[in-house]
Amino acid sequence: MKKLGENIQMLLIYVAIGIISACITGYFLYQYKAGLWKAQACSALRTALKQELQKRDSKDIYFATSGNASLPSDSIDIKKEPIKVTIESEYGKKDFIIPYEKHTHNIERPSNIRALHSCILEIPPP
């Protein structure tokens, strides 16, 4: 009888080790796939944005910028604080706070090009 209890105890230990190793393996496989999915999403978004801007290329819009809201290149010394962007439209002036990470990981780094794209995309297509 004592041998049967030892066998069940060893079986439970093996099952626990198997479950833990399966969970760890699943976690790392998910992390790997999530990185691939993120890269595919970025690529698809860039392609879709370029296609949409090409569709709307025939529109003439007035666009003027002033100032410089670009950040310096990534270095250890700079403060990674959010930046304040002011947008003025037909509805009035509005201030937006953009987190540092969102600003630096944007499709277009220069803020004037991003603003131009926003204006073009705001106009409905023909």
Side-chain angles (χ1 to χ4, degrees):
M1 196 61 143
K2 192 173 189 182
K3 186 126 176 140
L4 181 64
E6 290 176 4
N7 287 342
I8 292 176
Q9 188 178 18
M10 289 301 291
L11 181 63
L12 289 175
I13 291 173
Y14 291 146
V15 168
I17 290 172
I19 290 173
I20 291 171
S21 62
C23 289
I24 291 172
T25 302
Y27 173 77
F28 284 110
L29 285 175
Y30 175 77
Q31 292 297 321
Y32 175 72
K33 287 288 188 179
L36 291 177
W37 293 332
K38 184 176 179 181
Q40 286 177 341
C42 287
S43 174
L45 180 64
R46 288 176 194 267
T47 304
L49 179 63
K50 285 180 185 176
Q51 289 174 352
E52 192 62 33
L53 289 173
Q54 286 174 353
K55 281 185 204 174
R56 299 170 184 223
D57 194 25
S58 62
K59 292 211 173 210
D60 289 330
I61 61 167
Y62 172 73
F63 182 76
T65 60
S66 64
N68 186 6
S70 63
L71 294 175
S73 63
D74 284 339
S75 69
I76 299 170
D77 300 349
I78 64 170
K79 293 181 182 177
K80 298 184 176 175
E81 296 176 351
I83 64 165
K84 181 180 178 183
V85 175
T86 303
I87 295 179
E88 187 173 346
S89 69
E90 59 194 35
Y91 304 111
K93 214 179 215 186
K94 181 153 182 161
D95 294 330
F96 294 95
I97 304 297
I98 301 175
Y100 176 82
E101 293 80 17
K102 283 190 176 183
H103 185 77
T104 57
H105 293 104
N106 209 313
I107 292 175
E108 293 289 341
R109 184 127 173 121
S111 60
N112 58 347
I113 293 175
R114 287 196 311 257
L116 177 62
H117 289 173
S118 296
C119 288
I120 291 172
L121 292 172
E122 184 178 304
I123 301 168

